[in-house]
Amino acid sequence: MKSIFLLMMALIFLTGCSPKDTPVSDGIFWIVTEISTSDGMNYQAETALEALQEKYPDVTFKLEILPTESAERDNYIQKLRTQMLAGEGPDVYLLPTGDTITTDANRKTHTDQVTIEPLFSDIALAMRTGVFTDIQSYYENDAELNTAGLRQEVMDAGMVGNARYVLPLRYNMPILLVNRNADTIKNMEQNGISLKCAAAELVEYALATDDTKLAVGLQLPKDTSAFPELFDYDEGTLLVTQEEIADYMSLYQNWYAASHSTETEILNHLEEIIRAHYDEQFHYSFPDSLEELGITITRDSLNSVDRYQSSGFAHWTVQQLPAFSTSLNGLLESAILEQAMEQEWDEIPVLRLDGSVGAEVTYLGAVGANCENVDMAYEYLRLFLTEEYQWDGVRPRTDRTHDNQFSVSPELQNYGLVENSWPVRDKNAIPHLFDTFLYRHSGYIGRTPKEEGKRRAQVKGVEAITEENAVVLQTSIDEVRFPIYMNEEDTLAYALAQLNDENGNPTDVDLEKLAEEVYQKLKWHLAEG
Amino acid sequence: MKHTTLSRRNAWNGVFMILPLLLGCMVFYTAPFIIVLRNALFKGIGNSEQFVGLENFREMMSNDGFRLAFGNTMKFLVISLPLILVISFGIALVLKEEARKHETLKSVLLLPYILPVAATVLLVEWLFAETGVLNHCLNVIGLPIADWLDSGQAFWVVVGLYLWKNTGYAVILLLSGLVTIPEDHYDVSGLDGATFWQQLHYITIPQMWYSVFFTVVFSLINAFKCFREIFLIGGTHPHSSIYMLQHFLNNTFENLSYPKMAVVSVVLALILTTVFALSYYWVMKKEAYKA
């Protein structure tokens, strides 16, 4: 009797394991991805899957979205990694890089950022460890894909030697918007100082001339993206020195001290203006903070069509910044604002510390090393490189031209580019991306009919943007990398955060010791990969 | 003939008795280790798998992370194991007389060993954190304070933690060997004028080799268990002085670097097997001589 009871208990415990807690395998074509905005990569992934399902009706497909809640994700990823090492991993990976995911917010016009630990901490290491399948033979024989239209430097980032393990799908590059009419810029040109130098040199110039506005406009990244190539993965060596890290940290500390209070003042002033603007529109009690309306004022607000149109003051040139650091993500906004403000700015790439042009892959696709049907996996992934998928052809739309305060079509699109980054098929991309931008604004629902009419008239009056508006896209990229992930306390960002207090003043922390720790952590990252 | 049949039957009985354990060991230990050994000779998994021979081992020898972890682990073992043996042997000798009178003493010795890991970590942090008790006392008496857990001193904190936590267990093991030595041997030698050190050298130690061997084995196992406390104190990347092989293994798993994990496992297994084999050979030699 006792043994029967024990046996029953054992069976109950064994069968009680929830299938939801276990990653998928067992003959199913398995695709793993991360959550995205509802009109972004998840929508593309589902659309592509439907196309594949139609072609292969007898195959069971499973699109698995990794959880984002910390404890659940840790547990799930642990199991997934074990499965991968045991030879039962996913067939296809469709993943963003970095540790930040963009998802829908409560209000569709805004998005939220979620911080996660990515499945692969370093894609470049993962390629060399052999967790992906080489698909070069598929790619080079794919005549229909028109690979000539893809940014070659970015696509080459997915190769190790002659093997192609990863298909980069989207990328981003830091750029500097320059107002040539600004006095600072004119002075620099007169003094023979080139703007086409490393961001660090520009910052040093700003600090030397005590030009806080220039310092605010420039940005030193908190991660290692300012450094030239960090690792020689094939030799297993770290290419940056501890002294270089310490020098950068020192520059960052001084830059932050010079720019932080001015930047905070600008953003606070902007918030007051926007709040006053909304107060004028409403005649009833107003929430205490703009955040309750889902409006957050950040640095990006200084290069935003919406913010400029709603306040008239939210722009970096109005705030008298001679230059403004952004990325390809903000290129369209800038091009449209040029028209609206009847100005012209230069867009130049932000150079790394050694003067090279760098970019980062922001979204990728790869075939798992355990995939048994590589043909099908490639057939799925190649869809994301086609014009339709790259140029927002798959992004959902409704006819919003007749929307008004009383009749509103469902909001199907989030603001901005998919994954806040640029398509890797960037030749001739701009007209299509601009078309999305117009669609977004064509259904603008203002606080008053007058405001709506004004916005729509502005949108209709905007000239189409072409490749000529984005000369920066013609720049050759010297190095394209995948962002690396490390535990928060091991990162350069964590070390940089200790250099200044909340008012921006330098602290007395031991900078050399911090640099040594960062250096050691980078060495370990490479050694353990 | 009857004797042979009985011996054979006894032998088969023995085999059947250990068969479940043997099967379990083969399935859960031997087979996985053979797979690990195989994987140490390959790079990649699945479609990307490629035989590379000893290439992974060669790369590991020049891997800075592995060399640091290996060096720290060996340093920790070389320092901690002799220390725990000497200290626990000394305590066991002192307690030998008292053990029979005070049974609860043995239980008290095991208290640090059975203390939960989380409690141990809290205790260590309470004592050795930058704002901990030790720094507070040093500050009060005017001595310089130190970052005990995030500097070179962290190594000695870990050695101290290991000794505090596991000495009691080692004492119990050695004590169980000491109490089996007949008292007559000491009485007779005492009558012959033997000193304490002579009794230790000629009577105690020769009869304690088996106990010492098992104490070494268990102390070695407990030394690797120390990783739990080190991990909770220092995280995945603690100070370089306490970065151990288990940290390296843990982190290479997260990076899906299976060849590195496999190589480290094989190297560790080879070293431990060599150490155990040599120790066992030494003990057997001593026991044979004694016989």
Side-chain angles (χ1 to χ4, degrees):
Chain A
M1 187 64 188
K2 188 177 172 184
S3 56
I4 293 171
F5 174 73
L6 286 170
L7 183 62
M8 283 175 63
M9 290 300 291
L11 282 170
I12 287 167
F13 282 124
L14 282 170
T15 55
C17 297
S18 164
K20 284 183 194 170
D21 297 334
T22 309
V24 175
S25 63
D26 298 329
I28 298 170
F29 192 85
W30 181 16
I31 301 155
V32 154
T33 188
E34 299 278 6
I35 196 167
S36 75
T37 55
S38 53
D39 65 316
M41 291 306 292
N42 284 169
Y43 187 85
Q44 287 195 16
E46 283 162 7
T47 307
L49 201 56
E50 281 167 13
L52 210 63
Q53 182 77 80
E54 218 175 289
K55 193 174 176 185
Y56 302 102
D58 296 331
V59 177
T60 306
F61 293 93
K62 179 76 177 178
L63 181 63
E64 195 90 17
I65 297 179
L66 298 177
T68 52
E69 192 275 323
S70 180
E72 187 187 354
R73 185 183 175 88
D74 283 349
N75 190 37
Y76 190 92
I77 284 193
Q78 195 82 344
K79 289 179 186 169
L80 183 56
R81 284 173 178 159
T82 307
Q83 274 192 285
M84 288 160 66
L85 291 174
E88 295 177 358
D91 296 294
V92 168
Y93 300 96
L94 204 54
L95 301 169
T97 59
D99 62 357
T100 306
I101 293 178
T102 306
T103 61
D104 288 345
N106 287 336
R107 287 184 63 190
K108 259 306 191 65
T109 52
H110 300 275
T111 53
D112 266 343
Q113 305 269 300
V114 177
T115 304
I116 50 135
E117 177 189 341
L119 179 59
F120 299 106
S121 64
D122 191 332
I123 295 292
L125 279 173
M127 289 198 292
R128 287 159 174 83
T129 309
V131 295
F132 304 130
T133 297
D134 177 12
I135 52 173
Q136 173 62 6
S137 59
Y138 293 89
Y139 182 81
E140 66 187 359
N141 292 324
D142 191 346
E144 290 177 10
L145 190 57
N146 184 21
T147 55
L150 303 171
R151 192 75 186 249
Q152 282 311 306
E153 303 103 310
V154 178
M155 296 308 293
D156 288 346
M159 295 190 70
V160 177
N162 295 325
R164 182 178 298 276
Y165 293 108
V166 162
L167 292 176
L169 302 177
R170 305 193 79 86
Y171 78 105
N172 208 351
M173 191 166 82
I175 62 174
L176 189 66
L177 305 173
V178 179
N179 181 9
R180 291 218 174 263
N181 294 323
D183 291 337
T184 300
I185 303 302
K186 287 178 183 172
N187 288 339
M188 287 173 73
E189 284 174 346
Q190 280 167 7
N191 294 330
I193 297 167
S194 170
L195 283 156
K196 289 183 182 173
C197 58
E201 290 180 40
L202 290 174
V203 167
E204 281 168 357
Y205 175 82
L207 295 175
T209 55
D210 208 22
D211 190 336
T212 54
K213 292 279 185 169
L214 179 59
V216 170
L218 300 170
Q219 277 284 292
L220 286 178
K222 294 178 194 172
D223 55 20
T224 52
S225 59
F227 290 92
E229 208 168 345
L230 272 183
F231 303 115
D232 184 337
Y233 289 100
D234 298 315
E235 294 295 318
T237 52
L238 184 56
L239 298 175
V240 68
T241 65
Q242 186 176 319
E243 290 71 32
E244 285 170 339
I245 294 172
D247 287 344
Y248 182 77
M249 290 173 70
S250 176
L251 178 67
Y252 185 95
Q253 186 179 46
N254 293 331
W255 163 78
Y256 193 88
S259 65
H260 175 74
S261 57
T262 304
E263 181 174 310
T264 305
E265 199 181 305
I266 289 173
L267 294 179
N268 287 342
H269 179 58
L270 189 61
E271 186 165 340
E272 284 169 14
I273 291 171
I274 292 175
R275 188 177 160 76
H277 166 77
Y278 275 98
D279 281 346
E280 285 174 21
Q281 306 296 318
F282 290 90
H283 300 292
Y284 50 84
S285 61
F286 195 74
D288 286 334
S289 74
L290 291 174
E291 282 179 6
E292 291 185 41
L293 291 176
I295 298 171
T296 50
I297 306 300
T298 64
R299 202 172 174 285
D300 288 337
S301 304
L302 294 172
N303 185 44
S304 161
V305 171
D306 263 356
R307 290 284 147 258
Y308 177 72
Q309 288 183 331
S310 59
S311 78
F313 289 89
H315 194 258
W316 54 277
T317 54
V318 177
Q319 300 298 326
Q320 296 173 340
L321 305 183
F324 187 76
S325 290
T326 180
S327 67
L328 290 181
N329 188 28
L331 195 62
L332 283 182
E333 302 275 334
S334 172
I336 289 161
L337 284 165
E338 275 182 313
Q339 291 189 36
M341 298 172 72
E342 295 176 357
Q343 294 187 33
E344 213 170 294
W345 309 309
D346 288 347
E347 295 103 19
I348 58 175
V350 173
L351 304 183
R352 288 182 173 157
L353 293 173
D354 67 342
S356 62
V357 177
E360 287 189 340
V361 176
T362 55
Y363 211 92
L364 63 94
V367 178
N370 307 121
C371 178
E372 291 173 356
N373 195 338
V374 182
D375 291 359
M376 192 184 300
Y378 179 77
E379 195 173 342
Y380 179 73
L381 281 179
R382 69 178 295 283
L383 288 172
F384 296 91
L385 287 172
T386 57
E387 291 174 4
E388 188 188 12
Y389 282 74
Q390 286 276 302
W391 295 345
D392 285 2
V394 176
R395 222 163 164 189
R397 290 190 181 191
T398 55
D399 181 7
R400 300 179 58 215
T401 50
H402 302 294
D403 283 0
N404 56 49
Q405 273 188 307
F406 308 103
S407 170
V408 180
S409 305
E411 177 67 80
L412 293 181
Q413 270 200 19
N414 282 290
Y415 200 81
L417 298 173
V418 169
E419 292 296 320
N420 304 315
S421 48
W422 206 257
V424 71
R425 186 178 289 281
D426 61 0
K427 286 190 178 66
N428 304 317
I430 285 183
H432 302 273
L433 300 178
F434 179 65
D435 187 63
T436 304
F437 188 91
L438 282 186
Y439 159 75
R440 248 327 252 96
H441 286 273
S442 66
Y444 174 73
I445 304 300
R447 302 303 161 210
T448 62
K450 184 182 172 184
E451 194 175 306
E452 287 172 15
K454 184 182 169 189
R455 175 68 73 89
R456 288 182 185 159
Q458 285 173 337
V459 167
K460 275 189 182 170
V462 169
E463 288 177 19
I465 294 176
T466 65
E467 306 293 317
E468 287 176 1
N469 297 104
V471 176
V472 71
L473 289 176
Q474 314 303 324
T475 311
S476 293
I477 304 174
D478 297 309
E479 192 243 352
V480 180
R481 66 176 66 151
F482 297 93
I484 63 171
Y485 169 82
M486 294 162 68
N487 288 335
E488 188 192 350
E489 292 122 6
D490 297 343
T491 59
L492 175 64
Y494 184 80
L496 291 174
Q498 299 176 59
L499 299 178
N500 302 81
D501 61 22
E502 63 271 12
N503 297 321
N505 301 315
T507 60
D508 57 359
V509 70
D510 188 341
L511 191 147
E512 291 294 332
K513 187 183 173 199
L514 280 179
E516 185 190 347
E517 285 171 6
V518 170
Y519 179 73
Q520 181 63 53
K521 300 291 166 53
L522 286 171
K523 282 184 76 174
W524 276 338
H525 173 85
L526 188 62
E528 294 161 355
Chain B
M1 186 62 110
K2 189 177 176 181
H3 177 72
T4 309
T5 308
L6 188 63
S7 295
R8 196 181 297 168
R9 195 187 304 156
N10 284 340
W12 276 111
N13 284 342
V15 168
F16 284 128
M17 279 184 191
I18 67 166
L19 197 59
L21 180 64
L22 198 62
L23 280 173
C25 278
M26 284 178 65
V27 167
F28 294 109
Y29 289 97
T30 312
F33 186 72
I34 292 171
I35 294 170
V36 165
L37 196 59
R38 178 202 173 274
N39 285 332
L41 305 174
F42 283 79
K43 257 200 169 88
I45 51 176
N47 302 329
S48 302
E49 200 173 53
Q50 195 186 353
F51 177 76
V52 292
L54 296 177
E55 177 70 24
N56 290 332
F57 290 89
R58 268 193 291 273
E59 281 178 8
M60 194 58 67
M61 293 306 123
S62 59
N63 184 305
D64 288 339
F66 171 75
R67 280 154 61 165
L68 175 69
F70 185 80
N72 283 343
T73 306
M74 290 303 116
K75 182 179 165 191
F76 178 72
L77 294 176
V78 163
I79 290 173
S80 303
L81 285 180
L83 268 178
I84 200 171
L85 270 179
V86 167
I87 294 170
S88 55
F89 205 101
I91 296 173
L93 284 173
V94 168
L95 285 181
K96 194 180 97 173
E97 300 306 318
E98 306 300 319
R100 292 194 189 91
K101 293 182 227 169
H102 304 286
E103 286 295 325
T104 50
L105 204 56
K106 287 189 229 175
S107 307
V108 167
L109 286 171
L110 283 175
L111 280 177
Y113 186 75
I114 62 172
L115 200 63
V117 171
T120 309
V121 167
L122 280 173
L123 182 64
V124 167
E125 287 184 347
W126 179 70
L127 282 172
F128 295 105
E130 271 196 278
T131 51
V133 168
L134 181 59
N135 274 343
H136 178 72
C137 294
L138 290 172
N139 194 38
V140 163
I141 58 178
L143 289 173
I145 62 174
D147 192 354
W148 300 99
L149 299 178
D150 197 22
S151 65
Q153 320 303 329
F155 178 81
W156 300 107
V157 171
V158 168
V159 169
L161 171 65
Y162 168 73
L163 292 175
W164 170 77
K165 204 165 162 55
N166 297 288
T167 297
Y169 188 74
V171 167
I172 301 296
L173 290 174
L174 290 170
L175 202 54
S176 61
L178 281 174
V179 297
T180 61
I181 300 173
E183 281 300 314
D184 301 341
H185 294 195
Y186 295 104
D187 294 337
V188 167
S189 63
L191 286 173
D192 287 339
T195 63
F196 168 78
W197 295 108
Q198 283 172 325
Q199 285 177 337
L200 182 70
H201 182 67
Y202 292 107
I203 299 174
T204 310
I205 291 176
Q207 296 187 73
M208 283 290 292
W209 285 118
Y210 265 132
S211 297
V212 168
F213 174 70
F214 281 110
T215 306
V216 167
V217 168
F218 283 102
S219 296
L220 192 58
I221 292 168
N222 290 331
F224 283 102
K225 281 188 191 173
C226 235
F227 168 72
R228 300 174 302 187
E229 283 86 356
I230 302 172
F231 181 78
L232 286 174
I233 292 168
T236 53
H237 293 104
H239 187 267
S240 55
S241 63
I242 53 173
Y243 179 75
M244 303 293 187
L245 274 175
Q246 291 102 316
H247 288 102
F248 189 80
L249 276 168
N250 197 52
N251 296 334
T252 50
F253 170 75
E254 292 198 352
N255 290 323
L256 297 164
S257 186
Y258 202 14
K260 287 183 179 166
M261 287 164 56
V263 166
V264 171
S265 304
V266 169
V267 167
L268 204 52
L270 281 173
I271 290 172
L272 292 177
T273 306
T274 307
V275 167
F276 284 139
L278 287 174
S279 307
Y280 191 68
Y281 172 74
W282 169 265
V283 169
M284 287 295 107
K285 201 172 155 189
K286 288 290 180 185
E287 289 295 317
Y289 176 72
K290 189 177 77 176

